[in-house]
Amino acid sequence: MYSKVQLPVRIKELEDELYSIRTQTCYERAKIITGSYQKTEGLPTVLRRGRAFQDILTQMPLYIREKELIVGSRSSHLGWETSYPEYDLEDHDAWPEEVRAYWTGKTIHDLSNQLYPPIVPISEAEHVSGYTTGTKTGIGHGIAAYDKVLRIGFRGILEELDAALQTAGDDQSGVDFLNAAKSACTGMIAWANRYADLAENLAKTANAARAKELADIAAVCRHVPEHPARSFREALQSFWFVHVALHIEQKGWSISTGRFDQYMYPYYRADIEKGLITDGEAFELLLNLWVKFMENIEGELKKTQFQNLTLGGQDQAGNDLSNAFSHMCLDATMLTGYTQPALSVRWHSAVDHDFWAHAMRTIATGVGMPALFNDEIIMKELEAHGTSADDTWNYAVVGCVEPAIPGKQMGMTAGGHVNVAKALELALFNGRSLFTGVQMGPATGEAAAFSSFDQLWEAYEKQSRYLMAVTLLTGNVAGTVQKLLGHCPMHSCLLDDCIARRRDMVDGGVRYSLSGTAVIGTPDACDGLLAIKKLVFEEKRYTLQQICRAMEANFEGYEEMRQILLHQPCRFGNDIPEADEMANKVNRVHSEFCVAHPDMRGGHYTCGIWPVNDHVAAGKFTAALPDGRHKGAPLADGVGACHGADVNGPTALLKSVARLNNVRDWQGGNTCNIKFSKMSIHSPKGIETMGDLAETFMKLGGQELQINVVDAATLHKAQENPEEYANLVVRVAGYSAYFVTLSRSIQDEVIARTEQAI
Amino acid sequence: MSSQSSNQIRGLISDIQRFSIHDGPGIRTTVFLKGCPLACYWCHNPETQAAHPQIMIHRNLCIRCGNCVNACPVGCIRLDADGVRIDRSKCLQCGACARACPAEALKLDSRWMTPAETLSVLRVDASFYQQSGGGVTFSGGEALTQIDFLQETLRLCKSEGYHTTVDTSGYCEQATLERILPFTDLFLYDLKAGDDATHVRGTGKHLQTIHDNLRFLVQKGAAIYIRIPIIPGFNDNDEEMGKIAAFLTPMANAIARVELLPFHRLGIVKYEALDRAYKAADLAPVSQERMRRLARPFYTAFDQVEIG
C-alpha cells in the first residue's frame, strides 16, 4: 500500500518547483510553424498543418525536469506559455518580427472577423451571444482514442494510413489528409526519440541514482508511443505524449482523457500481478502524471485547462467498471489537492458502494471534485441525439460537464454562448438593450401592448430564438474557419472514422458530431417570467409598464416593488412543480432551436449550461430583471436557483433540478453546484449523508452534481468578499443561515467550529 | 383520539426544516413545535419557547417603507433610527404587519397546521429518507407540549412508513409520553445536568420527572439517544458529566448512543429579532479538546459516544 497522507519526496519537490514558477511566453512553436509555413506555400492546408506539426516536434527545444519520471512538455521551459500565431496575434505583444509579419491578416481570428455579420460584434460587446470556441482558437473539447495508441502505437497507425492510401484512388483531398496524418505520426515518433536522446545525454553527468532513472526514461521513450505499451509505465508515458501533443497541434483546451481508469487498468493489473511494480511505485508514477497535468496549465496555476478525467461507470451490460486503479486516481487527487486533472465520476444504479463512498470522501476534503454524472440520463440523452446504443455506455466527460463518446465524437462541445436572461430584457423593451439602447433583437412590440402573458411569452420566444441564431451563426463561422485553416491530422487519427473517410476531424471525418452551445441565465429568465405571470397577469398587483419603469430605474425608488418581486414565492429551485415547468418551457425554446440546426460537420447543435464564470460576465451586461435582481449582478450559476431564491434547502433545489427535462433540453450537459460548510459535513456519517443526497438526486433524474465542501480558509474569503459567497449556507443542529448575513462575531464562531472539523 | 377529532387538531409550528442531518439517522425533515416548559438560558431556538405566535424583526432587511406602521390594528409599531420598533406589551401577534412587509423583515414566527398539512410537507422528501435511512423528527420547543397534534402526526408518518424521531426534554407527564410510544422509532432525550440544583439553575425545573420518564422509556424498550448540550460555566465540568454518567450507566444497555453537543451562539440573531436579551451571548465556544475530555466518563459504559 502507499501513503495516503504524505507525498513522496520526489513529488513534493516537483510540486514545490511548480508553485514557484515565473511565467513568460515561449515563442519557439511560433517561430517553427512560421518557418514551416514559409516552406510549404501553395500546398493544401491539411498538408501544411501536418508538416508544421511534424516540424514543431522535431525542432522544439526540449527539457526534462530534475526529478521527473514521466516526461513531455508543450513549451521550452517549465511554466512558459506556448504561442500559437496561426490562431490569433492578439494573444501576445512581443511576437518575433518574422512571425508577426507572416501571420498578419492570415490568422483564424482574422478570417472569422471577415465572416462575421455586423450583429455579432454588437451582441458580443454585451456578452449576449457569440463568443464561440474556434473563432480565434482551436476547437479543443474532445476525447481522442488514447487507448488506440497504447494498443497499436503510432507505428500501427502509420500502417493503417498506408493501407488507406492504397484504396484512396483519385480522392486527392483524401490522399492529402492521409499524407498529412503520416507526417504527424512520424513527428510523434521522432519527438519521443528526442526525449530518449536527451535523457541519455543527461545521464552522462547525473549521479548514479538519477542516471539509472534517466536510462529508464530513455528506454521507455524509445519504445512508446511508436510501439504498443508493454507496461504500466509505458502506458502512462505513451498516454502523456499523446495528451501533450494534442495541445501542441492546436490551441485548444478541455482536451479530456476519457475513461482513463478503464484503458489504464489492464496495464496496471498485469504489472502488479506479475510483480513488476509495487502499488507504491505505481502511485508515485501516477502522482508524477498529476504534476504533469498541472504543468500543462502553463503559466499561473490559478487558470485551468479543463483536462477532464472520467472514472467509473458501467459496461454495456450495466455492470460497474470501477477498479483498484479508479480508487488510486481518487487517492491521487485527495492527496495532492490539484485542480487538474478535473475528475468526473459516473453514477448508475449498480454503482459500487465503496467507489461511491471514496468519491464522497474525496469531495469532503474540499477539493471540489469529483463531479458526479448520471449514466442513466446521459446515455438516454446521447441516444436521443443520434449516438448508437452500442456506444452510449462508453461516454466520458469533456471539459466541464459535456458528455461525448471517446474516440468517436467530434468535440466542439463548447460552441457559442447565449444569455437568455437578456432575451427577457429585449422582449420587454421591443428588442432594445437597456444598457446601450442598441436594437439588439427583433422588434417584438412594446410591453405596453402585451395584454396577456402569452403575448409576452411569444415575444420572449422570438428574442431567445434570435439570440440563439446569432450564436449558431458564429458556430458556423467557427466551423468554416476551422475547416479551412484548423486541421488537426494527429488528433484525427484518434477519432473514428477520419481515416476510413479520409477526412480531417474539422472536415466531417468524425462519426458523431454534436456541437454544443452554452446557455446562460435560464433560471433568471424563468423567475422573471414567473414574477410577471403572477404579479402582473394573475394578481394584477402591478402593470407591465410599472415593472419596465422599475427595471429602467434599476429599482431605484422602487424598493418595495423589488422586495415583492424577490419574495414572490413561485420561483425555480423550491420544489414547486409550476415554477419548474416554467424552467422547462424556457429551456425548450433554445433546445428545440438548436437541435433543428445542423452544424458544419454533419451533426447538429445541442444545448448545455456550464457557465464557469460567464454567469458573472454576462450578468454585468444584463439589466435589472423582473425577479428583483439588480442590474449588473451575476446571473444564476448553471441550472441552480437564482441567488437567494432557493429558500427550501438542498433537497428542494435538487428535486427542482431533477425535474428539468434533461434528456430533451440539456444534451450538452449541465451544472448543478451546491455548497456545504465543512462544519455540517465532516464526520463519516456526514459524508455518507452527502452520498445519499447525491444518489437520491440521480435516482430522481438529475444529470450532474458538483458538491463543494467549504473549509475555514474559504469562509475567511467569504468574510472578505461576501458577494462572491452569497449562496453559502451554514447549518448546525436546528439552525441554518446564509453565512454572509451573519454578524462578524458569529461568522468567527462558525469559522472556529469549521477549523475543528477535520 | 381523546378530546379532539383529527380534523380539528392544529399544531403551532415554528419551522419545518428539510435536509436536517443532525437530528437522528440519515436525511430528515425536522418539525419544530412551539412551547417549552423549561427555560434554558442558553436556548438557541428562543422563538420556540412561547406557546403562542410572536413577531420576529430582522432589522437588517427593513427597507423603511412604513407599511407595517399602517397595517398594525393597535398602533404599536413605529419606525425609529434603527428601523422597526414594536411595543410588544400591546402587540396582538395578529401578523398583519408581517403580511404587509414586502421585505420579510417582519415575520410571524409560526403558523398553525393540521397533521395532514404537515404530512404533505414531510412527504415531499420521502425519496431522500428512503435512500439515506432517514425520516422525520419532531423537535421544538418541547414537542410533547402539543401532544394531540404530535400523536396524530406521528401516527400519519408511521402509516406512510417513515422512521420517526422525537427530540424531547423529557419534562412531561408519563401518560403523555406513553401516547406517542407506539408511533416513535427513536427518542433524542436531552439531559442538561446531573445535579438537581444545577438543573434548576439552568432550566428552572427539577430533574426528577425527566429521570423518571427516561427510566419509563427504557423499561418500555424504546430506542434512545441521549443528548447533552455542553454549556460553558454550567455543566462543562467533570463533576456534572460524572453525575450524568452515573445516572445513565445502569441503563447503558438500553441507550444506543450518547451525544455531546457543544454550545454555539448562533441563536443570538433570533434573540435580537425577538427583542430579548441573550444571557449566553458572551459565553465562549467549547474547544474540541475540552469536549473530548468531558466525554470520557461515558466511554466505559457506552459503545457510541459522539461529539456533535
Side-chain angles (χ1 to χ4, degrees):
Chain A
M1 257 339 259
Y2 45 85
S3 170
K4 293 182 184 181
V5 289
Q6 198 176 3
L7 280 178
V9 178
R10 177 196 310 279
I11 304 301
K12 184 80 184 76
E13 287 180 19
L14 288 168
E15 174 184 293
D16 287 346
E17 193 186 1
L18 194 62
Y19 284 127
S20 61
I21 48 173
R22 299 171 69 137
T23 186
Q24 64 181 73
T25 306
C26 165
Y27 288 108
E28 297 297 336
R29 183 186 177 284
K31 287 191 265 186
I32 300 167
I33 192 173
T34 304
S36 177
Y37 262 62
Q38 281 165 340
K39 278 182 259 166
T40 57
E41 265 338 321
L43 290 176
T45 312
V46 66
L47 276 174
R48 301 180 78 187
R49 291 279 299 169
R51 179 65 184 280
F53 179 66
Q54 183 182 12
D55 287 345
I56 293 164
L57 295 182
T58 48
Q59 295 168 33
M60 188 75 197
L62 308 181
Y63 67 92
I64 291 174
R65 292 179 67 188
E66 188 62 39
K67 298 279 175 174
E68 68 184 359
L69 299 174
I70 307 285
V71 304
S73 308
R74 257 200 278 176
S75 59
S76 61
H77 293 77
L78 177 65
W80 288 20
E81 238 182 287
T82 312
S83 53
Y84 302 82
E86 74 271 35
Y87 290 97
D88 192 2
L89 286 176
E90 284 171 20
D91 289 346
H92 305 287
D93 297 327
W95 292 106
E97 199 36 51
E98 73 274 20
V99 173
R100 181 184 294 282
Y102 182 81
W103 292 104
T104 299
K106 290 184 197 161
T107 66
I108 277 184
H109 192 192
D110 291 326
L111 184 57
S112 299
N113 280 339
Q114 287 169 36
L115 296 175
Y116 275 162
I119 185 64
V120 174
I122 294 170
S123 207
E124 284 194 345
E126 294 190 40
H127 229 291
V128 176
S129 40
Y131 279 108
T132 297
T133 312
T135 53
K136 48 186 176 181
T137 61
I139 287 173
H141 296 86
I143 304 171
Y146 296 88
D147 57 317
K148 180 175 175 184
V149 180
L150 303 191
R151 216 171 50 245
I152 66 173
F154 279 101
R155 190 56 62 196
I157 295 170
L158 281 166
E159 285 167 16
E160 248 185 62
L161 292 168
D162 281 328
L165 275 167
Q166 300 292 319
T167 59
D170 57 0
D171 173 14
Q172 188 51 47
S173 58
V175 170
D176 290 342
F177 163 72
L178 294 169
N179 280 323
K182 281 186 72 176
S183 298
C185 295
T186 309
M188 287 300 294
I189 294 167
W191 187 48
N193 276 289
R194 290 179 63 219
Y195 275 102
D197 296 343
L198 177 60
E200 282 164 5
N201 275 333
L202 290 170
K204 289 174 191 160
T205 53
N207 64 40
R210 182 60 181 160
K212 167 78 175 68
E213 287 175 1
L214 287 161
D216 290 344
I217 290 171
V220 169
C221 296
R222 290 270 176 244
H223 191 78
V224 292
E226 180 173 2
H227 302 290
R230 295 164 301 185
S231 66
F232 176 64
R233 178 165 177 179
E234 283 187 355
L236 281 183
Q237 180 63 65
S238 190
F239 159 82
W240 184 248
F241 274 134
V242 174
H243 188 69
V244 176
L246 292 169
H247 290 81
I248 292 174
E249 191 175 35
Q250 64 163 310
K251 181 190 178 189
W253 62 95
S254 297
I255 293 172
S256 299
T257 73
R259 305 183 79 179
F260 184 75
D261 61 339
Q262 299 309 308
Y263 55 79
M264 280 296 163
Y265 181 59
Y267 299 95
Y268 163 80
R269 191 186 56 195
D271 282 13
I272 292 282
E273 280 174 2
K274 286 185 234 153
L276 297 176
I277 197 168
T278 65
D279 247 344
E281 287 162 345
F283 191 52
E284 187 178 35
L285 285 170
L286 189 67
L287 290 169
N288 196 156
L289 187 74
W290 257 227
V291 172
K292 300 300 280 183
F293 276 112
M294 288 299 281
E295 276 178 44
N296 197 37
I297 295 172
E298 297 199 320
E300 291 177 48
L301 295 180
K302 54 187 167 189
K303 292 189 301 180
T304 179
Q305 193 69 28
F306 305 101
Q307 303 164 91
N308 205 312
L309 187 145
T310 301
L311 300 172
Q314 59 191 294
D315 66 11
Q316 197 163 5
N319 302 305
D320 188 75
L321 286 176
S322 66
N323 55 51
F325 187 65
S326 322
H327 283 273
M328 191 182 264
C329 291
L330 288 173
D331 280 333
T333 291
M334 226 168 163
L335 179 56
T336 60
Y338 294 165
T339 55
Q340 296 281 291
L343 301 188
S344 294
V345 158
R346 288 174 45 170
W347 176 90
H348 57 107
S349 55
V351 70
D352 178 74
H353 184 262
D354 288 344
F355 178 61
W356 186 250
H358 196 173
M360 292 303 134
R361 290 199 302 280
T362 310
I363 290 170
T365 63
V367 71
M369 299 188 290
L372 310 169
F373 293 83
N374 187 350
D375 279 8
E376 286 158 22
I377 293 292
I378 291 171
M379 286 161 59
K380 273 190 211 146
E381 228 165 65
L382 288 165
E383 194 174 350
H385 291 273
T387 303
S388 158
D390 290 337
D391 285 328
T392 54
W393 64 276
N394 202 29
Y395 85 90
V397 178
V398 171
C400 298
V401 297
E402 307 98 89
I405 307 302
K408 292 180 180 173
Q409 184 163 334
M410 179 63 199
M412 189 68 187
T413 58
H417 296 175
V418 64
N419 172 4
V420 298
K422 191 79 175 182
L424 179 56
E425 175 189 329
L426 298 179
L428 289 166
F429 293 91
N430 199 14
R432 290 186 310 275
S433 161
L434 261 191
F435 264 77
T436 52
V438 165
Q439 188 73 30
M440 192 169 280
T444 46
E446 297 291 345
F450 300 147
S451 57
S452 69
F453 179 77
D454 288 345
Q455 288 177 338
L456 169 65
W457 174 256
E458 204 179 306
Y460 169 79
E461 262 190 311
K462 284 183 186 152
Q463 298 293 348
S464 182
R465 287 202 197 104
Y466 182 82
L467 297 183
M468 291 304 300
V470 174
T471 293
L472 299 202
L473 215 79
T474 60
N476 290 346
V477 166
T480 306
V481 298
Q482 294 295 330
K483 191 169 177 169
L484 291 171
L485 301 175
H487 305 78
C488 295
M490 194 276 281
H491 199 155
S492 300
C493 291
L494 306 181
L495 291 174
D496 290 348
D497 305 303
C498 287
I499 295 178
R501 294 184 190 173
R502 301 185 290 272
R503 287 292 178 276
D504 192 276
M505 66 185 222
V506 299
D507 194 16
V510 189
R511 186 174 313 169
Y512 302 121
S513 182
L514 291 173
S515 295
T517 55
V519 185
I520 302 161
T522 61
D524 305 84
C526 167
D527 281 8
L529 286 160
L530 282 166
I532 292 172
K533 184 166 184 259
K534 292 283 163 191
L535 294 168
V536 175
F537 294 109
E538 288 179 15
E539 294 172 26
K540 304 200 189 299
R541 184 158 185 166
Y542 300 113
T543 66
L544 203 47
Q545 292 96 305
Q546 284 174 312
I547 304 256
C548 290
R549 294 300 82 78
M551 287 169 68
E552 284 174 324
N554 191 23
F555 295 113
E556 265 176 53
Y558 295 87
E559 186 57 25
E560 187 180 331
M561 183 202 283
R562 189 177 93 88
Q563 292 295 333
I564 287 167
L565 295 169
L566 277 173
H567 293 104
Q568 187 277 116
C570 187
R571 301 191 65 171
F572 177 71
N574 289 299
D575 191 11
I576 301 170
E578 182 187 357
D580 303 343
E581 274 319 305
M582 181 63 84
N584 276 329
K585 191 173 157 104
V586 164
N587 294 337
R588 185 192 301 237
V589 177
H590 46 75
S591 98
E592 278 183 352
F593 188 87
C594 271
V595 169
H597 285 80
D599 69 3
M600 298 292 290
R601 290 166 293 272
H604 63 72
Y605 284 96
T606 63
C607 290
I609 186 165
W610 25 265
V612 193
N613 284 316
D614 288 325
H615 59 299
V616 179
K620 288 198 173 113
F621 296 98
T622 306
L625 289 173
D627 68 348
R629 173 194 154 282
H630 274 127
K631 161 176 142 180
L635 298 170
D637 180 5
V639 287
C642 296
H643 164 57
D646 51 332
V647 295
N648 291 336
T651 55
L653 174 68
L654 294 182
K655 281 185 72 188
S656 283
V657 174
R659 207 172 271 137
L660 294 177
N661 195 332
N662 286 305
V663 172
R664 184 193 67 199
D665 298 333
W666 294 118
Q667 325 83 11
N670 63 26
T671 55
C672 177
N673 295 329
I674 56 175
K675 285 195 177 89
F676 290 112
S677 88
K678 206 164 190 168
M679 184 175 71
S680 320
I681 295 181
H682 70 282
S683 62
K685 183 203 160 200
I687 294 170
E688 201 178 314
T689 304
M690 188 167 75
D692 287 328
L693 182 76
E695 207 162 348
T696 311
F697 173 62
M698 298 300 177
K699 287 182 180 169
L700 290 170
Q703 171 160 221
E704 188 265 2
L705 183 63
Q706 190 165 342
I707 304 172
N708 291 291
V709 175
V710 175
D711 58 10
T714 311
L715 292 177
H716 280 295
K717 283 188 216 153
Q719 278 188 322
E720 303 317 315
N721 305 302
E723 65 286 354
E724 287 177 35
Y725 296 89
N727 279 324
L728 176 61
V729 173
V730 291
R731 280 166 173 268
V732 286
Y735 188 88
S736 70
Y738 285 108
F739 178 77
V740 298
T741 64
L742 300 172
S743 72
R744 183 78 184 200
S745 73
I746 300 297
Q747 287 181 352
D748 288 341
E749 183 168 338
V750 170
I751 290 173
R753 284 176 71 111
T754 307
E755 276 164 349
Q756 291 181 359
I758 298 150
Chain B
M1 222 27 47
S2 52
S3 54
Q4 292 171 294
S5 75
S6 174
N7 59 9
Q8 288 174 320
I9 302 173
R10 298 280 188 282
L12 186 60
I13 290 170
S14 72
D15 195 14
I16 300 182
Q17 185 175 291
R18 295 165 69 175
F19 194 63
S20 289
I21 53 175
H22 299 286
D23 299 321
I27 296 172
R28 313 188 72 80
T29 300
T30 300
V31 180
F32 292 90
L33 291 164
K34 280 195 44 130
C36 186
L38 305 188
C40 309
Y41 66 83
W42 60 84
C43 178
H44 65 247
N45 284 328
E47 79 284 12
T48 61
Q49 291 175 343
H52 56 78
Q54 302 164 100
I55 296 292
M56 295 179 87
I57 312 171
H58 299 283
R59 292 191 174 78
N60 57 324
L61 301 178
C62 175
I63 61 166
R64 310 184 61 83
C65 64
N67 288 0
C68 51
V69 177
N70 298 330
C72 180
V74 294
C76 72
I77 305 181
R78 66 192 161 82
L79 272 176
D80 69 13
D82 295 341
V84 188
R85 289 282 153 199
I86 295 182
D87 181 346
R88 290 186 184 269
S89 67
K90 294 185 188 149
C91 175
L92 305 175
Q93 285 104 29
C94 66
C97 55
R99 285 189 294 279
C101 178
E104 297 188 3
L106 293 175
K107 274 185 112 163
L108 207 53
D109 70 353
S110 50
R111 60 193 156 136
W112 291 98
M113 294 176 77
T114 64
E117 284 166 348
T118 308
L119 182 69
S120 69
V121 179
L122 299 176
R123 199 180 267 143
V124 293
D125 276 351
S127 48
F128 292 93
Y129 312 153
Q130 196 183 0
Q131 174 70 37
S132 66
V136 299
T137 297
F138 293 85
S139 181
E142 171 51 65
L144 286 150
T145 59
Q146 301 191 42
I147 181 63
D148 290 338
F149 172 83
L150 180 65
Q151 183 185 0
E152 176 59 9
T153 313
L154 281 169
R155 190 188 66 78
L156 291 177
C157 288
K158 285 319 295 175
S159 70
E160 301 270 320
Y162 304 153
H163 178 275
T164 55
T165 296
V166 173
D167 180 5
T168 178
S169 67
Y171 196 85
C172 63
E173 309 250 324
Q174 183 181 306
T176 306
L177 212 45
E178 199 161 8
R179 284 174 60 186
I180 62 166
L181 261 176
F183 313 114
T184 306
D185 295 315
L186 174 67
F187 286 89
L188 304 178
Y189 203 94
D190 297 357
L191 281 178
K192 279 103 179 175
D195 176 78
D196 189 56
T198 308
H199 196 268
V200 171
R201 185 160 55 82
T203 70
K205 298 289 184 201
H206 288 284
L207 261 175
Q208 191 63 48
T209 308
I210 294 167
H211 279 181
D212 289 348
N213 279 334
L214 182 60
R215 289 194 194 94
F216 170 71
L217 286 181
V218 166
Q219 177 220 327
K220 289 288 181 180
I224 302 163
Y225 292 178
I226 297 294
R227 303 228 283 191
I228 306 168
I230 302 298
I231 312 301
F234 171 69
N235 64 3
D236 64 335
N237 58 71
D238 295 340
E239 197 190 336
E240 276 303 328
M241 290 304 122
K243 284 182 181 168
I244 295 176
F247 165 67
L248 290 175
T249 299
M251 297 178 274
N253 290 340
I255 291 168
R257 179 187 290 188
V258 176
E259 294 180 356
L260 276 66
L261 308 172
F263 167 75
H264 66 75
R265 296 181 303 153
L266 304 186
I268 195 168
V269 183
K270 297 179 179 180
Y271 282 89
E272 286 165 5
L274 291 164
D275 296 319
R276 285 177 55 181
Y278 188 26
K279 291 186 191 132
D282 297 323
L283 296 185
V286 192
S287 74
Q288 196 72 2
E289 197 183 332
R290 181 108 196 103
M291 291 298 292
R292 279 195 288 267
R293 182 187 160 91
L294 291 169
R296 282 191 311 199
F298 300 96
Y299 285 113
T300 42
F302 298 91
D303 291 341
Q304 285 196 47
V305 179
E306 296 213 350
I307 293 170

